Amino acid sequence: VDLVEFFLEDSPRALTELRTAISANNVALVCSSAHALKGLIAGCGGVRAAQAAQRIESAANEKELSNFDEQFELLAAEYETLIQALNRYRRQ
């Protein structure tokens, strides 16, 4: 399985895990989930999505909970853009 396939299989679960951690206000899980998702995204060249995940991870490290939802929405939008690009790549 190549890196793109691995990403497309594993990243939805990682994104859901992050959303769940944010909903539960579980800062430790937000931090670890954002970090894991950032790594998956970066491996596929998703610079803006990786930066969005990094912002969430940093906020969790600083225990700054006030903008998790807003930051997640930005991440989700960048993630969706990356998914679309990767799907176009796979069809080539």
Side-chain angles (χ1 to χ4, degrees):
V1 177
D2 70 14
L3 191 57
V4 171
E5 292 299 322
F6 178 76
F7 173 79
L8 292 172
E9 288 176 16
D10 282 9
S11 65
R13 176 198 46 77
L15 190 68
T16 298
E17 183 177 280
L18 177 58
R19 176 75 249 171
T20 300
I22 289 170
S23 294
N25 237 6
N26 184 332
V27 177
L29 189 55
V30 168
C31 187
S32 64
S33 297
H35 181 79
L37 188 58
K38 177 183 70 178
L40 284 170
I41 290 168
C44 285
V47 175
R48 292 191 323 230
Q51 289 169 339
Q54 174 62 54
R55 285 191 295 274
I56 293 172
E57 181 183 2
S58 295
N61 278 327
E62 297 169 12
K63 308 227 182 328
E64 178 54 53
L65 312 177
S66 62
N67 66 349
F68 275 160
D69 289 325
E70 179 182 325
Q71 290 297 323
F72 183 83
E73 293 308 318
L74 294 172
L75 169 59
E78 292 297 344
Y79 173 84
E80 188 56 39
T81 299
L82 176 60
I83 293 291
Q84 291 172 7
L86 291 173
N87 281 324
R88 283 193 302 274
Y89 164 77
R90 289 173 57 212
R91 286 191 289 259
Q92 292 181 356

